[in-house]
Amino acid sequence: MAINPQSTIAGPARRQETLPAAVWEHLVLHNRPAGTCLIYFLPGGTIACHDAGAGVFFERYVIPALRHPDVCGQALAGKTSRIEPGSPPQIWELVPGVLISALPHVERRQVRGILAIAARSEGFRLGEDVLRLCSMFGLDATWLAQQARHVPAHTAQHLGIGNSVMLSLLSDRLRLNALEQELNTLSTQLANAYEELTLIEQISGGMRVNRRSADFFRQACLDVMQVMQVRGMGVVVRSDKLEHPPVLYGDLSLPPGQVHRLADELLPMLRTRKNFLLVNDLAADKRLGWLGEFASRLIAVPMLRGEQVLGCLFGLDKLAGDFDSVDAKLLTSISNESAIYLENAILFGDVHGLMMGLLHSLTSAVDAKDAYTCGHSERVALLARHVARQLSLDDYQVERTYMAGLLHDVGKIGIPESVLQKTGRLTPEEFEVMKKHPLIGARILADVKEMADVVPGVLHHHERYDGRGYPNNLAGKSIPLVGRIICLADCFDAMTSNRTYRRALPLEVALTEIRRCSGTQFDPELAEIFLAIRPDDFRALLRDHQLAAKRLLELQESLRAA
């Protein structure tokens, strides 16, 4: 089946009046075996579409005659215009030797068009009127007569019955087509909703309060970019307690400084609007016209908690079409989830800061019991963290290693000052007392659920790789990794610090001692990593904490003087 392209779309104003292609194809396939031609007229008499595969008799003779203004123009326009919703079937003899059965196609009590069937009449012959049309259309009359013999003749009664069947079929197919479209629309909406819900679930699943904001927003932007099909997705976070540098992900990039400029201009707008911003012609926008050099369209949504704008998410250049309210709704949902994450991250930061402040106070209290160990816990924590990073541990494990180093000597709170501050060597009995501080520290932290992964480092930082350490005489890899790391950092700082019983060893001497004890006191793999650190890096690592240690030492001396 072929549809005449010139008649199917008669112009922009009438495009909406034509039948769906799938419906028309179904009708002509059912009608064609009868040897007739199915035609659909608009109310003004214009042919909207016809069966171009019905045969050359119709294509070369009947259709041109119906379209020609001097042959059927006025008569056809008059007949179609007089058809009303309740009009009975009509038989037209507008073209010599041809019968046309016409019925109104009615939708919502309005005549949408006229469905017609054209057929050769039983009285077709090469009379004067047919010969005149052959001359007008440049047809050979004998050839036309031969073509007509291949087309079955029909009576008006037969055409009327066939047309009624076709009209019923048309109504049924239009209903089915509408249902299919509705089903497709619903299916698309469901697919989009599922994709959006999956995206929101993915982002919600990544909302761990201890996750770095940069990691969270990077993954969120990449996920949103894939679902919304945009060239660039960015985020801006600016609050009193948390700030995330403006960043743009994706194929679209802006020159240096322009992302910050965009952030500086977007946030005031969104703080005023408290709602999404859509700009589908950036070049023409008075406020953001400068961005039109790099992108065409923009969508931005504020991250709101209450009335406070914590930041915003923004997208640039949708790959297909303009940004719309559907995009804004999706991005608003993501923005709301992100705002919850930000609020929780800020609260977590406050709690974490408070906890770290308390831990530093606790370790300072331990260090304050002995002027010679002033700043020791902080230095051990820094060294342990540096080694953990060299081992490529993840950020969380690195931070927990630092915390274990900070608290490794917390058990010394339970050790008498007479033992801690003794200027000479400890007696065996005093050493047994000193050896209790890992157990005391572990017991202090045992009831704090959040410190469960820190306790092994506190408890086992005096174990030796050869099994001759304390408190449990563990050996080799049976000693927790964090314990082996802190053992190394603790001994190095002890060697390079002044103690009551000796002066600090030079850095190079301490490193030589670590190499000598590798495989006996220290894990050999960790020792190699430690020894690979340059001496200047050690000095730089500890330099920033010397002033704090000096202040703590002055505090100790002032307390003793009082």
Side-chain angles (χ1 to χ4, degrees):
M1 196 283 298
I3 297 177
N4 188 318
Q6 295 179 348
S7 58
T8 299
I9 299 175
R14 291 178 175 172
R15 183 184 298 245
Q16 60 182 356
E17 301 291 343
T18 60
L19 297 174
V23 173
W24 182 250
E25 289 174 6
H26 184 80
L27 290 179
V28 297
L29 287 175
H30 278 74
N31 179 75
R32 192 175 294 164
T36 58
C37 180
L38 197 63
I39 307 171
Y40 190 84
F41 295 99
L42 297 180
T46 302
I47 296 177
C49 47
H50 73 279
D51 180 8
V56 293
F57 175 77
F58 297 103
E59 192 68 18
R60 298 289 301 278
Y61 174 67
V62 178
I63 297 300
L66 291 172
R67 283 202 174 121
H68 202 288
D70 295 335
V71 178
C72 300
Q74 291 184 352
L76 181 59
K79 288 181 179 295
T80 55
S81 63
R82 288 192 295 271
I83 291 182
E84 298 179 350
S87 296
Q90 298 185 17
I91 297 295
W92 300 336
E93 297 185 43
L94 299 171
V95 180
V98 176
L99 296 177
I100 299 175
S101 172
L103 276 173
H105 170 216
V106 180
E107 286 186 3
R108 298 178 181 178
R109 301 182 182 179
Q110 297 291 325
V111 176
R112 181 180 175 184
I114 294 97
L115 185 66
I117 295 179
R120 180 176 72 85
S121 69
E122 293 179 331
F124 177 83
R125 66 181 187 280
L126 292 179
E128 183 180 343
D129 48 0
V130 173
L131 293 175
R132 181 172 58 85
L133 290 181
C134 287
S135 176
M136 182 180 295
F137 300 146
L139 297 177
D140 181 87
T142 303
W143 174 84
L144 180 63
Q146 291 175 345
Q147 298 302 320
R149 282 195 291 270
H150 296 298
V151 177
H154 288 268
T155 65
Q157 182 180 6
H158 288 158
L159 282 183
I161 295 172
N163 203 5
S164 297
V165 172
M166 285 295 108
L167 188 62
S168 297
L169 185 59
L170 171 61
S171 298
D172 291 342
R173 293 304 303 180
L174 286 173
R175 279 196 298 270
L176 286 174
N177 187 69
L179 289 173
E180 287 176 359
Q181 290 181 344
E182 186 176 346
L183 183 61
N184 290 336
T185 301
L186 181 60
S187 177
T188 301
Q189 290 175 347
L190 287 174
N192 290 339
Y194 174 77
E195 204 169 37
E196 292 170 8
L197 289 172
T198 301
L199 173 60
I200 293 172
E201 183 181 6
Q202 285 177 351
I203 292 175
S204 299
M207 290 172 54
R208 300 187 304 274
V209 292
N210 60 346
R211 186 180 186 184
R212 293 195 313 137
S213 61
D215 294 338
F216 171 81
F217 282 113
R218 178 181 180 278
Q219 191 59 53
C221 285
L222 293 177
D223 290 341
V224 173
M225 190 163 55
Q226 184 177 7
V227 172
M228 288 184 62
Q229 293 293 293
V230 295
R231 292 180 58 214
M233 195 75 210
V235 60
V236 184
V237 176
R238 286 181 187 169
S239 69
D240 295 337
K241 296 184 177 180
L242 183 64
E243 184 162 342
H244 186 283
V247 63
L248 176 65
Y249 300 99
D251 297 333
L252 191 151
S253 61
L254 299 180
Q258 298 305 304
V259 177
H260 284 77
R261 178 184 176 183
L262 178 58
D264 292 340
E265 296 187 16
L266 277 180
L267 283 181
M269 295 182 202
L270 296 173
R271 287 192 176 111
T272 302
R273 297 169 62 92
K274 298 287 196 301
N275 204 346
F276 64 84
L277 172 68
L278 294 182
V279 181
N280 282 313
D281 187 0
L282 282 169
D285 190 80
K286 294 181 179 179
R287 301 160 299 178
L288 298 170
W290 62 270
L291 191 58
E293 182 180 350
F294 313 105
S296 302
R297 295 173 289 276
L298 174 139
I299 181 172
V301 176
M303 288 185 280
L304 285 168
R305 292 308 291 163
E307 291 298 313
Q308 184 183 10
V309 176
L310 302 178
C312 73
L313 295 173
F314 63 91
L316 293 170
D317 282 2
K318 192 175 179 180
L319 295 179
D322 291 340
F323 289 115
D324 54 28
S325 59
V326 176
D327 299 317
K329 182 179 178 182
L330 170 60
L331 199 56
T332 298
S333 298
I334 303 304
S335 176
N336 291 338
E337 293 292 318
S338 300
I340 293 172
Y341 162 79
L342 275 179
E343 187 175 43
N344 290 338
I346 291 171
L347 292 173
F348 176 77
D350 290 342
V351 173
H352 185 264
L354 175 62
M355 182 185 70
M356 292 304 296
L358 291 173
L359 292 182
H360 279 284
S361 298
L362 180 60
T363 55
S364 295
V366 173
D367 291 348
K369 294 187 70 176
D370 183 359
Y372 286 95
T373 60
C374 181
H376 167 70
S377 298
E378 177 70 16
R379 292 193 299 271
V380 170
L382 289 170
L383 290 167
R385 180 166 64 186
H386 191 73
V387 173
R389 284 175 176 161
Q390 298 304 308
L391 287 170
S392 300
L393 300 183
D394 61 46
D395 290 344
Y396 178 77
Q397 289 177 300
V398 169
E399 192 61 24
R400 302 308 280 181
T401 302
Y402 170 82
M403 195 171 292
L406 200 61
L407 293 169
H408 78 285
D409 274 346
V410 70
K412 287 185 177 180
I413 286 179
I415 304 300
E417 291 187 16
S418 59
V419 176
L420 288 174
Q421 297 180 4
K422 186 175 180 179
T423 56
R425 287 191 174 276
L426 299 179
T427 65
E429 293 78 13
E430 290 170 336
F431 186 58
E432 288 301 319
V433 172
M434 180 64 81
K435 287 168 61 176
K436 291 179 181 178
H437 80 270
L439 287 168
I440 296 172
R443 282 199 296 268
I444 290 173
L445 301 176
D447 293 332
V448 184
K449 183 176 66 175
E450 289 75 10
M451 294 291 173
D453 55 348
V454 172
V455 171
V458 174
L459 179 61
H460 298 296
H461 72 277
H462 277 296
E463 302 285 1
R464 288 172 54 105
Y465 200 74
D466 58 8
R468 295 169 57 194
Y470 61 88
N472 297 327
N473 302 115
L474 299 180
K477 303 298 183 183
S478 62
I479 305 170
L481 175 61
V482 64
R484 284 177 274 146
I485 292 174
I486 295 173
C487 172
L488 188 57
D490 185 31
C491 290
F492 175 79
D493 187 70
M495 287 188 285
T496 55
S497 303
N498 290 323
R499 292 301 171 99
T500 56
Y501 50 86
R502 61 155 174 79
R503 298 290 296 173
L505 299 177
L507 184 61
E508 289 74 12
V509 174
L511 292 174
T512 300
E513 188 66 13
I514 286 177
R515 183 176 298 280
R516 186 181 69 83
C517 296
S518 174
T520 54
Q521 185 172 0
F522 308 123
D523 181 332
E525 294 178 7
L526 295 182
E528 286 302 316
I529 291 173
F530 196 86
L531 290 168
I533 303 172
R534 297 183 307 166
D536 288 345
D537 292 339
F538 280 116
R539 296 186 181 97
L541 186 66
L542 302 174
R543 185 184 303 124
D544 295 339
H545 301 275
Q546 290 176 349
L547 180 59
K550 181 180 178 182
R551 289 174 179 170
L552 182 58
L553 183 58
E554 292 172 351
L555 175 62
Q556 293 170 344
E557 292 174 351
S558 65
L559 290 174
R560 289 192 178 91

